[in-house]
Amino acid sequence: MTETASKVKLSQWDALLVESLRSLGWSDEELLRRAASGELPADESEYKFDYARLTTLAGERPEEFRQAVTGGYRIKYNTIRGIRSWISVALGKPAGLELKEGKEAVEVTLTEAEKNRLEAVLSYGWRITGGPAGAEGSCRIEPVQR
């Protein structure tokens, strides 16, 4: 089994919740402890996250939640707007949307490390084209056309 195939799968929303808490500078252990105890902040961002969902997840599937936080995860199903939101929350970068039918994509400038991180969580059916040639580069995240 490959590394990405063995990763825990999270919903796009649960992944955004985890990344939002990480953006507060919390360690994995603090995130796990606070999610389990329900000791979570009120979200004042544009997303208005309700972190109680993570307390439920940590209570119902504690080992899966721990593995997702400490070992990484793959998103079950991405939407184009969800990808843009994940990039904003997890990487702190603004991303543009191309919504013309048949040419839908997210466009963003990423470093090699950021591109690798995004590739590791994207659900199947998406690909990243372009990208860094050393430092930073323009990437296009688009659905795989069949």
Side-chain angles (χ1 to χ4, degrees):
M1 193 181 293
T2 67
E3 178 186 323
T4 53
S6 65
K7 284 188 178 177
V8 169
K9 291 194 170 43
L10 289 182
S11 72
Q12 184 169 265
W13 192 251
D14 289 346
L16 284 167
L17 293 172
V18 167
E19 296 304 335
S20 175
L21 292 175
R22 278 194 175 133
S23 75
L24 299 175
W26 293 6
S27 68
D28 289 349
E29 287 307 314
E30 182 176 10
L31 196 158
L32 290 166
R33 181 185 57 77
R34 291 181 69 160
S37 70
E39 185 188 334
L40 299 165
D43 182 45
E44 300 298 325
S45 77
E46 67 182 282
Y47 301 102
K48 303 292 184 230
F49 292 126
D50 179 1
Y51 297 115
R53 168 78 190 117
L54 290 183
T55 299
T56 302
L57 182 62
E60 291 175 355
R61 300 190 321 255
E63 191 49 43
E64 185 177 312
F65 182 63
R66 172 173 281 289
Q67 187 178 345
V69 170
T70 62
Y73 60 85
R74 181 170 286 278
I75 296 172
K76 291 178 189 177
Y77 177 81
N78 281 115
T79 64
I80 195 161
R81 285 180 175 83
I83 293 169
R84 180 181 63 177
S85 296
W86 190 93
I87 290 168
S88 174
V89 170
L91 303 178
K93 295 208 165 188
L97 286 179
E98 169 64 55
L99 297 174
K100 186 174 180 187
E101 189 173 333
K103 297 187 185 285
E104 299 90 350
V106 178
E107 296 176 346
V108 64
T109 299
L110 298 175
T111 65
E112 187 72 34
E114 291 166 338
K115 180 182 176 188
N116 291 341
R117 185 170 174 211
L118 176 59
E119 280 179 326
V121 302
L122 275 178
S123 64
Y124 295 103
W126 292 90
R127 68 173 172 216
I128 302 175
T129 58
E136 273 195 340
S138 181
C139 295
R140 185 173 172 88
I141 301 95
E142 55 194 5
V144 174
Q145 301 297 323
R146 298 181 195 265

